[in-house]
Amino acid sequence: MPEATLLANPVKKQIRIALRNCGVINPETIDEYIGKDGYFALGKVLTGLTPAEAIKVIKDSGIRGRGGAGFPTGLKWEFASKNNSDQKYVVCNADEGDPGAFMDRSILEGDPHSVLEAMALCGYCIGANTGYIYIRAEYPLAIERLKIAISQAREYGFLGNSVFGTGFDFDIHLKYGAGAFVCGEETSLIHSMEGLRGEPTLKPPFPAESGYLGKPTNVNNVETYANIPVIFLKGAAWFSGIGTEKSKGTKVFALAGKVNNVGLIEVPMGVTLREVIYEIGGGIRDGKAFKAVQTGGPSGGCLTEKDLDIPIDYENLIACGSMMGSGGMIVMDEDDCMVSIAKFFLDFSVEESCGKCSPCRIGNKRLYELLERICTGKGEMKDIDRLRNLSEVIKDTSLCGLGQSSPNPVLSTLDNFYHEYISHVEDKKCTAGVCRDLMEYFIVEDNCVGCTACARACPVGAITGERKEIHLINLEICIKCGACMEKCKFDAVILK
Amino acid sequence: MSSVKIELRKDQTDKIHTICDSFGNQEGELINVLHKSQETFGYLPAEVQELIAEKLEISAAKVYGVVTFYSFFSMTPKGEFPISICTGTACYVRGAETVLNEFKKQLEMEVGETRTDGKFSLSCLRCVGACGLAPVVQVGDKTYGRVAPDDVKGIIEEYLPAGL
Ligand SMILES: Cc1cc2nc3c(=O)[nH]c(=O)nc-3n(C[C@H](O)[C@H](O)[C@H](O)COP(=O)(O)O)c2cc1C
Ligand code: SF4
Ligand code: SF4
Ligand code: FES
């Protein structure tokens, strides 16, 4: 697997906190991490702060979860710390399921110790002695680097019995995912850790009350953890000085799609999408027109030109009909069909629905079929209403976050690109030229030299025309196989 | 479960027993046991699942339920050259679907299948973290970036010098 591309710092818009060491240190050498103040925060907290004081630092910093929901991390730790139990667990969610994102993988591969240090800090704060990293089996390099990092940390006494000689014991083990998106949801993740099918259960009880093996468990995302040591080193005030009123610090995004520069970026909360796309991303490829940017992956929505100047933070993205999600950011241009994009995400949700509850299992399938009908020219106006109604029902009645958010790509494209749905349904046209069933093959008279190549290639004899004369496709007979277009050397056959 | 019965050799049953023992025959370690077993056998045929069920003292249905829940576990052997097409969002936006269709056409097979000669299997992946190279195709450990439908034939031929 190739290393992830970190986008260089083309302008001063980026600040590196979570990615501070990625590409800077050798992740397989603990000394290099220590050279960057690694494990200093752990030493400082264990020897200088009580758990309650340490939790206060995290609360004051204002950091919120980077795994999707944006729940305040300090508050979560406080809940877990207040639930008394003989045994508690610290879990790192490294299941990274968004199908267009690789932030967590980059952190684990580039700076695994930062996550280990943060988990030990969390263990101290909530009173846990055992940590688990639940990582996708599809990330072999990250797994390898974590194993190396864990054994080095044990050797140096940063993990194991009596960390820093303080009497605080903490150790970390790995648990492997096996390719199920829903296992990123924290209750599913816990079931999967227990060796079961990764199906979610209703919350409450939250993991902080009853998690792994029924014990209080704190689950945080990789990127959330990667921020923690820095917060202790530089202070809550420093961290909360970055970002917007309600969203502090930075966020890592995987910028991809139709922009010139693609890769991982880390920007302070509050930058605008325009800055990200045009200044960091270098604008749209091939001089095409911007159409939309999708954030939040399969749970998110598409934002348009009108949203480009809104400062990115948790609340603003939700207000525009999308969400922060884990950090996928896909830019689309005039050649992308928004109905097809909605269908793409629905296809993902259908495949990944665990099947436990019917609104998600059946409803998403029906949504997908409606979109399929529309994309193949069989849609009616009623289908558009059906899409909206069904979406609302699925959102309201699904058991877990997957079903509760899977209709978002449909709703946001309906809101922002209603005209595209209409043109698919009423005019049977896909203006972006993506939905093949809605397009037809034509021969451009000016380019046709009458070589007969297309007519000979056509399997159904749909093309007529004498040698050296302009040819014509009979659309009644044409089965849209595309053979003529492949064979024509003069670009005379077009699809529109 | 799969209809073709396979006979496990003594060394193979021993191997599974060793794997189960190494995880203390704990029910909660089922997923780890399955990972290790798949690493060893390449896939998880019914017979292997039954053996694991016996060792961990759980029902075969439970093992089967877990195996089929997770897409990483497979009940059919992979091809000698497993071909995976990334259909993550970035790759999709940059045309992964047309590349996938070309592979299906050239190999005359569907996603999830293994060719009868055991050479190739075809599957889809979601984001391999190389979005900058979208669309991405992997054959075994090798990664191909910016793949266009026209490149597909050449990629296949690399693994089949004598042609299809
Ligand atoms: C369907 C679904 C998938 C999720 N996938 C992930 C994931 O891949 N990684 C992640 O960290 N959180 C994921 N989450 C969010 C987790 O449930 C949980 O909120 C998060 O791990 C908490 O950590 P945080 O507070 O640090 O964000 C997912 C949630 C849902 C509903
Ligand atoms: S909403 Fe979907 S993924 Fe979540 S429990 Fe229901 S069926 Fe499973
Ligand atoms: S697309 Fe196929 S069927 Fe249609 S005119 Fe061309 S060759 Fe004939
Ligand atoms: S979407 Fe294909 S590599 Fe990321």
Side-chain angles (χ1 to χ4, degrees):
Chain A
M1 207 180 270
E3 298 256 350
T5 3
L6 286 201
L7 213 50
N9 205 343
V11 275
K12 290 279 172 283
K13 291 272 145 44
Q14 296 196 63
I15 303 178
R16 294 258 158 93
I17 300 177
L19 297 177
R20 62 194 177 281
N21 293 327
C22 291
V24 177
I25 61 167
N26 176 350
E28 297 185 5
T29 315
I30 191 171
D31 291 326
E32 293 205 16
Y33 180 65
I34 295 171
K36 294 276 174 194
D37 295 338
Y39 292 105
F40 276 42
L42 183 60
K44 191 169 131 183
V45 172
L46 288 189
T47 53
L49 297 182
T50 64
E53 286 166 347
I55 290 174
K56 182 157 187 308
V57 174
I58 298 302
K59 275 173 83 174
D60 290 346
S61 76
I63 185 170
R64 297 166 63 175
R66 304 296 195 235
F71 191 82
T73 306
L75 214 52
K76 200 186 257 188
W77 289 19
E78 193 171 62
F79 289 145
S81 78
K82 290 198 169 146
N83 285 315
N84 288 324
S85 172
D86 55 332
Q87 179 68 274
K88 296 182 191 178
Y89 296 100
V90 174
V91 171
C92 172
N93 185 343
D95 194 43
E96 189 147 71
D98 178 347
F102 48 93
M103 296 75 49
D104 296 348
R105 195 191 91 175
S106 303
I107 292 171
L108 295 169
E109 288 178 3
D111 194 17
H113 285 288
S114 67
V115 175
L116 304 185
E117 182 178 5
M119 288 176 72
L121 283 162
C122 177
Y124 175 71
C125 289
I126 71 167
N129 296 319
T130 308
Y132 287 101
I133 301 175
Y134 182 90
I135 181 161
R136 316 177 55 172
E138 290 91 334
Y139 284 177
L141 183 62
I143 291 172
E144 199 43 48
R145 297 226 163 122
L146 277 171
K147 283 184 180 162
I148 296 171
I150 290 172
S151 80
Q152 288 177 342
R154 283 180 190 148
E155 220 174 274
Y156 276 61
F158 300 144
L159 289 179
N161 289 335
S162 189
V163 176
F164 281 100
T166 56
F168 165 66
D169 305 334
F170 193 78
D171 207 355
I172 296 176
H173 311 277
L174 301 184
K175 286 267 182 186
Y176 303 106
F181 173 66
V182 71
C183 286
E185 196 280 335
E186 52 195 10
T187 61
S188 306
L189 182 142
I190 287 166
H191 295 137
S192 182
M193 283 175 55
E194 293 166 345
L196 307 170
R197 288 163 68 96
E199 287 168 358
T201 38
L202 218 52
K203 294 187 276 194
F206 288 91
E209 271 167 75
S210 169
Y212 183 54
L213 305 178
K215 304 291 181 186
T217 302
N218 181 75
V219 183
N220 276 126
N221 163 264
V222 173
E223 187 186 332
T224 312
Y225 282 125
N227 279 288
I228 300 294
V230 193
I231 294 174
F232 282 117
L233 285 177
K234 299 200 177 175
W238 167 80
F239 190 84
S240 64
I242 303 166
T244 65
E245 195 197 331
K246 288 186 174 159
S247 305
K248 301 301 186 188
T250 58
K251 178 76 194 87
V252 181
F253 290 100
L255 183 62
K258 306 285 179 61
V259 276
N260 283 310
N261 311 324
V262 295
L264 284 190
I265 61 168
E266 181 169 357
V267 288
M269 300 278 187
V271 299
T272 64
L273 285 163
R274 190 182 302 283
E275 288 168 316
V276 169
I277 295 169
Y278 289 92
E279 293 182 36
I280 302 174
I284 310 299
R285 301 178 108 211
D286 305 327
K288 299 259 175 162
F290 166 84
K291 189 180 219 172
V293 49
Q294 210 276 352
T295 66
S299 328
C302 290
L303 304 168
T304 58
E305 186 71 38
K306 69 177 183 341
D307 307 312
L308 287 185
D309 293 309
I310 293 166
I312 300 174
D313 70 8
Y314 292 98
E315 278 73 22
N316 284 344
L317 287 180
I318 288 174
C320 309
S322 185
M323 62 186 270
M324 185 76 82
S326 57
M329 188 179 276
I330 314 277
V331 179
M332 294 170 225
D333 70 8
E334 53 190 297
D335 295 336
D336 289 303
C337 160
M338 301 317 284
V339 186
S340 301
I341 293 289
K343 194 176 91 173
F344 167 78
F345 283 115
L346 248 294
D347 181 35
F348 178 85
S349 297
V350 168
E351 210 173 290
E352 296 297 340
S353 164
C354 80
K356 183 169 178 169
C357 69
S358 22
C360 169
R361 181 184 69 241
I362 305 170
N364 281 318
K365 181 87 184 154
R366 292 290 99 86
L367 269 188
Y368 178 83
E369 287 164 358
L370 284 169
L371 290 168
E372 176 80 17
R373 281 232 296 266
I374 293 174
C375 287
T376 51
K378 300 186 192 104
E380 327 165 358
M381 283 307 285
K382 270 204 219 116
D383 289 335
I384 298 185
D385 297 330
R386 288 190 184 112
L387 275 179
R388 193 178 282 283
N389 292 339
L390 186 52
S391 293
E392 301 291 354
V393 172
I394 297 171
K395 273 181 80 121
D396 288 347
T397 56
S398 288
L399 173 65
C400 87
L402 193 153
Q404 286 157 12
S405 62
S406 58
N408 286 351
V410 178
L411 291 172
S412 86
T413 47
L414 273 175
D415 286 343
N416 291 315
F417 298 96
Y418 190 70
H419 57 278
E420 284 196 31
Y421 281 86
I422 298 293
S423 71
H424 279 74
V425 170
E426 295 253 279
D427 319 332
K428 310 289 177 206
K429 282 254 172 286
C430 173
T431 41
V434 172
C435 299
R436 293 209 141 231
D437 289 312
L438 300 185
M439 290 189 287
E440 282 169 334
Y441 286 87
F442 291 97
I443 294 180
V444 185
E445 296 192 2
D446 286 351
N447 292 1
C448 179
V449 298
C451 72
T452 75
C454 58
R456 277 180 283 134
C458 179
V460 291
I463 306 183
T464 51
E466 294 300 315
R467 176 168 284 280
K468 301 218 170 116
E469 278 173 25
I470 290 166
H471 282 51
L472 191 71
I473 299 177
N474 184 339
L475 296 176
E476 303 273 293
I477 305 178
C478 172
I479 54 166
K480 300 183 186 174
C481 71
C484 51
M485 192 157 158
E486 255 171 53
K487 280 285 169 338
C488 181
K489 293 199 182 73
F490 306 94
D491 293 332
V493 184
I494 57 160
L495 192 60
K496 72 169 195 201
Chain B
M1 294 199 190
S2 62
S3 50
V4 204
K5 274 270 169 198
I6 57 162
E7 200 73 52
L8 291 177
R9 292 190 312 268
K10 171 88 171 60
D11 62 308
Q12 291 177 316
T13 48
D14 286 350
K15 184 79 205 158
I16 295 170
H17 284 157
T18 319
I19 291 171
C20 293
D21 289 339
S22 73
F23 290 103
N25 294 314
Q26 296 271 322
E27 184 181 341
E29 295 290 340
L30 176 59
I31 291 176
N32 280 337
V33 169
L34 292 171
H35 270 299
K36 267 273 178 276
S37 305
Q38 180 159 300
E39 235 173 85
T40 313
F41 289 93
Y43 70 118
L44 296 168
E47 292 72 16
V48 168
Q49 296 180 35
E50 282 159 14
L51 210 56
I52 292 172
E54 217 171 276
K55 271 296 271 182
L56 304 190
E57 294 180 10
I58 48 180
S59 72
K62 184 154 181 205
V63 177
Y64 179 72
V66 169
V67 169
T68 49
F69 185 84
Y70 296 97
S71 63
F72 196 82
F73 297 133
S74 164
M75 290 181 52
T76 47
K78 279 225 172 81
E80 185 184 343
F81 302 110
I83 301 175
S84 312
I85 290 110
C86 176
T87 47
T89 320
C91 289
Y92 172 80
V93 170
R94 292 234 182 127
E97 215 175 7
T98 56
V99 174
L100 173 63
N101 288 337
E102 191 62 24
F103 270 105
K104 286 193 204 162
K105 195 167 123 196
Q106 294 270 344
L107 293 167
E108 294 180 6
M109 55 194 277
E110 287 298 315
V111 173
E113 289 181 355
T114 302
R115 249 170 45 143
T116 38
D117 64 0
K119 277 267 175 216
F120 294 109
S121 51
L122 194 59
S123 62
C124 289
L125 289 175
R126 305 279 188 182
C127 196
V128 297
C131 305
L133 297 174
V136 175
V137 171
Q138 290 185 324
V139 183
D141 290 335
K142 191 163 172 192
T143 304
Y144 299 83
R146 305 231 156 91
V147 178
D150 288 346
D151 304 330
V152 168
K153 199 156 183 231
I155 294 177
I156 295 171
E157 277 165 4
E158 273 182 48
Y159 300 89
L160 265 191
L164 291 173

